[in-house]
Amino acid sequence: METTLRGVGVSHGVAIGEVRHMGTAVLEPPAKQIPAEEAEREQGRARQAVEAVAADLIARGNLAGGEAQAVLEAQAMMAQDPELMADVERRIAVGSTAERGVYDAFAAYRALLAGAGEYLAGRVADLDDVRNRIVARLLGVPMPGVPDSDEPYVLIARDLAPADTALLDPALVLGFVTEEGGPTSHSAILARALGVPAVVALPGAGELVEGTVIAVDGSTGEIFVDPSADKRTSLEQAAAARKAALAASSGPGATSDGHKVPLLANVGGPADVPAAVEAGAEGVGLFRTEFLFLDDSKKAPTEDKQVEAYRKVLEAFPEGRVVVRVLDAGADKPLDFLTPGDEPNPALGVRGLRTLLDHPDVLRTQLTALSKAAEGLPVYLEVMAPMVADRTDAKAFADACRDAGLEAKFGAMVEIPSAALRARSILQEVEFLSLGTNDLAQYTFAADRQVGAVSRLQDPWQPALLDLVAASAEAAKAEGKSCGVCGEAASDPLLACVLTGLGVTSLSMGAASIPYVRSTLSKHTLAQCERAAAAARAADTAEDARAAAQAVLSGE
């Protein structure tokens, strides 16, 4: 009998296939004591396992490229964390085996982060994955992972670690469903980059019986268990219609009455550029530069290395707009040479622009490298700072850009409610705003973007979040300046229409989402988008906001 479940759709498309479950987690190693004379040998085993796992994660990242590479390199740094390793060795010194020492040290760190409510608590799935890989290597057992199957299937998991998601084969994994995670989790972002339909935060997903046929709608978040023939046909027809519409849609982003809304790509490095160009991106709305700094957490990359990487991206978009975010270090992206290791709450501490202002030499080198990379190229370079809180921050960044001789537009990211509420003040110092809706939602609702239990508060349809977007867009319009969205909200085609109606002037997203957004936007007038935006803001819940906007845009 057909039943319907609902999670959070995070990657467009429909997948119909049999359920296959992710391998079970590594078993807890036995708590047995070792003689004191064996401690040094066990400590050596632990160090070797850690280095092997870190090397494997980096190798996986090199294979995956792009955003996945940056994510996996961050995981490798997590594995090699010196404080964690010191704790492992202390536990072994008092009698634990290598595997037990690793297990307990990671458990303590996990509990500490979760209990403190830190931003890093959102990386629990990543932390667990690193622990499991190290323990599995020490125990000499296979690492649990993606099922071995010759036939395509829908993957079910409690959560997916980036190391698994990054190397999924779309020819075999038709789609995936997880019990945990949120719309801005690493797995969700990588799923969109792969173009694999995905639904997260589905309670009871693990109870789906192996081999059961399910249909996954990554747009609506609906899961149909044992779908009827009619349901399968309707879903397949809808998917085919969407595919045909995508194929027919091309050119710059615009509403049906010609209001231009440039559609830009989010990229994590040069490896993401080909997909963005193929999708018809009109430029880059968010060029994350962290990938360069993750290669070596002990020191910043040289100016020459930065120039080379930046130029590869800038060259791909002649006459296009490329918006570069300077290094966003801290919180979930700690760097040994920049970020303090003893902050009680890194998400609310020294991160983003605050980190760079504490290390002006690092900021100046990056700005100088960007200036040199753009020399002689017919590209519209724009540079923005992450985590801007107020006008003082904006002025400090603009001054740094001018001092470095950067000939580009300077902008500020709106990720903190204070920046949205005082956007007009900030725009006295910079030339554009870019809304990072992922972090803006996190700070607005005090809801960690990686924790499935609070995923409803991470829903970008939340009316309070739409209010902050509107405030920013209205301030930019009043100042005659631009206000784009580069957060994951822009990848939702329906929400893209609402954002346009709120006054947002450009939308930036993963390359795979661009055709969906372009096609949907082209079906509606600016006036319809404005009415949909007003209806969404008048609602009290995210679900009601979506329904209200849908009703307006469908003419109901």
Side-chain angles (χ1 to χ4, degrees):
M1 179 180 176
E2 179 182 311
T3 56
T4 304
L5 307 173
R6 184 181 289 275
V8 179
V10 296
S11 184
H12 305 298
V14 172
I16 302 175
E18 293 187 1
V19 164
R20 293 285 181 276
H21 285 270
M22 195 77 170
T24 55
V26 173
L27 295 176
E28 180 179 345
K32 64 179 183 181
Q33 289 290 109
I34 59 168
E37 59 269 21
E38 292 182 16
E40 189 174 341
R41 178 178 64 84
E42 289 295 289
Q43 289 171 340
R45 286 181 63 227
R47 285 192 295 270
Q48 288 174 0
V50 165
E51 291 305 317
V53 166
D56 177 63
L57 289 168
I58 290 170
R60 284 170 176 259
N62 291 336
L63 283 173
E67 288 191 55
Q69 184 170 6
V71 171
L72 292 174
E73 286 175 349
Q75 261 199 302
M77 288 168 55
M78 188 182 286
Q80 296 171 305
D81 183 279
E83 289 188 19
L84 257 177
M85 197 62 231
D87 190 23
V88 170
E89 293 190 347
R90 279 195 297 271
R91 292 172 186 274
I92 294 172
V94 295
S96 287
T97 60
E99 47 266 38
R100 188 70 205 190
V102 167
Y103 186 90
D104 289 341
F106 272 76
Y109 190 42
R110 187 185 199 277
L112 176 67
L113 296 180
E118 297 181 3
Y119 183 78
L120 272 174
R123 296 295 182 259
V124 162
D126 300 18
L127 188 69
D128 288 348
D129 182 60
V130 170
R131 177 204 64 202
N132 288 348
R133 290 177 186 279
I134 298 170
V135 171
R137 183 170 286 273
L138 287 165
L139 291 174
V141 300
M143 176 61 205
V146 178
D148 185 16
S149 175
D150 295 328
E151 297 296 324
Y153 58 90
V154 176
L155 181 62
I156 309 294
R158 182 180 63 81
D159 202 350
L160 281 171
D164 296 312
T165 315
L167 298 182
L168 289 179
D169 181 357
L172 282 176
V173 181
L174 302 172
F176 67 75
V177 180
T178 66
E179 288 196 43
E180 299 182 0
T184 59
S185 66
H186 277 154
S187 292
I189 292 169
L190 295 176
R192 284 187 285 270
L194 285 167
V196 177
V199 171
V200 301
L202 178 71
E207 296 172 15
L208 291 168
V209 178
E210 187 92 1
T212 301
V213 174
I214 65 171
V216 178
D217 190 328
S219 300
T220 65
E222 291 175 304
I223 306 293
F224 304 96
V225 183
D226 290 323
S228 65
D230 286 347
K231 174 60 73 176
R232 293 178 68 155
T233 299
S234 67
L235 286 170
E236 287 166 350
Q237 288 175 342
R242 280 199 291 259
K243 188 173 181 180
L246 295 180
S249 174
S250 61
T255 58
S256 63
D257 56 341
H259 175 72
K260 293 183 179 179
V261 187
L263 303 182
L264 313 172
N266 294 344
V267 303
D272 289 339
V273 168
V277 172
E278 185 180 349
E282 298 168 59
V284 173
L286 173 61
F287 178 10
R288 302 179 178 96
T289 57
E290 289 76 39
F291 75 101
L292 277 168
F293 292 80
L294 291 170
D295 283 347
D296 185 349
S297 68
K298 305 297 182 186
K299 63 180 186 297
T302 64
E303 183 181 298
D304 288 345
K305 182 177 180 180
Q306 292 188 55
V307 170
E308 181 184 0
Y310 301 150
R311 196 169 179 89
K312 287 178 182 176
V313 175
L314 296 177
E315 287 175 337
F317 295 95
E319 306 296 335
R321 177 186 179 202
V322 176
V323 184
V324 180
R325 180 180 71 190
V326 293
L327 176 64
D328 184 13
D332 65 325
K333 293 174 289 242
L335 295 170
D336 291 347
F337 68 96
L338 284 182
T339 48
D342 57 351
E343 285 189 301
N345 195 335
L348 303 180
V350 182
R351 65 167 294 197
L353 179 61
R354 299 167 188 174
T355 301
L356 292 174
L357 294 178
D358 280 353
H359 298 83
D361 53 325
V362 174
L363 176 58
R364 184 178 181 85
T365 298
Q366 185 170 26
L367 294 174
T368 302
L370 284 166
S371 181
K372 290 183 178 179
E375 285 178 2
L377 295 180
V379 67
Y380 298 96
L381 175 64
E382 301 184 11
V383 182
M384 61 185 182
M387 301 300 292
V388 171
D390 57 14
R391 183 173 178 173
T392 300
D393 279 351
K395 183 179 187 303
F397 178 65
D399 288 345
C401 289
R402 283 188 283 267
D403 290 346
L406 185 63
E407 294 183 6
K409 283 188 175 182
F410 320 141
M413 290 197 71
V414 177
E415 301 167 282
I416 304 172
S418 64
L421 295 170
R422 300 290 293 173
R424 199 160 180 180
S425 170
I426 287 171
L427 283 166
Q428 304 310 304
E429 305 294 343
V430 295
E431 296 170 84
F432 69 93
L433 301 176
S434 184
L435 288 142
T437 52
N438 308 349
D439 269 324
L440 185 57
Q442 172 172 254
Y443 289 119
T444 299
F445 297 103
D448 194 295
R449 55 189 281 192
Q450 298 293 319
V451 177
V454 293
S455 63
R456 77 171 186 86
L457 296 172
Q458 267 293 327
D459 191 326
W461 281 94
Q462 285 284 356
L465 185 66
L466 299 181
D467 288 345
L468 292 175
V469 173
S472 302
E474 288 164 6
K477 183 178 181 180
E479 294 296 326
K481 297 180 178 180
S482 63
C483 176
V485 168
C486 63
E488 293 302 314
S491 65
D492 179 335
L494 183 62
L495 186 51
C497 294
V498 167
L499 295 173
T500 298
L502 292 174
V504 166
T505 56
S506 66
L507 299 166
S508 190
M509 64 209 77
S513 297
I514 291 175
Y516 290 91
V517 172
R518 182 194 293 121
S519 175
T520 303
L521 201 58
S522 69
K523 294 181 176 68
H524 306 288
T525 65
L526 176 59
Q528 286 176 313
C529 292
E530 288 172 342
R531 288 197 297 273
R537 288 183 68 190
D540 291 321
T541 68
E543 188 172 303
D544 288 346
R546 173 186 277 275
Q550 180 71 67
V552 170
L553 295 176
S554 62
E556 295 176 7

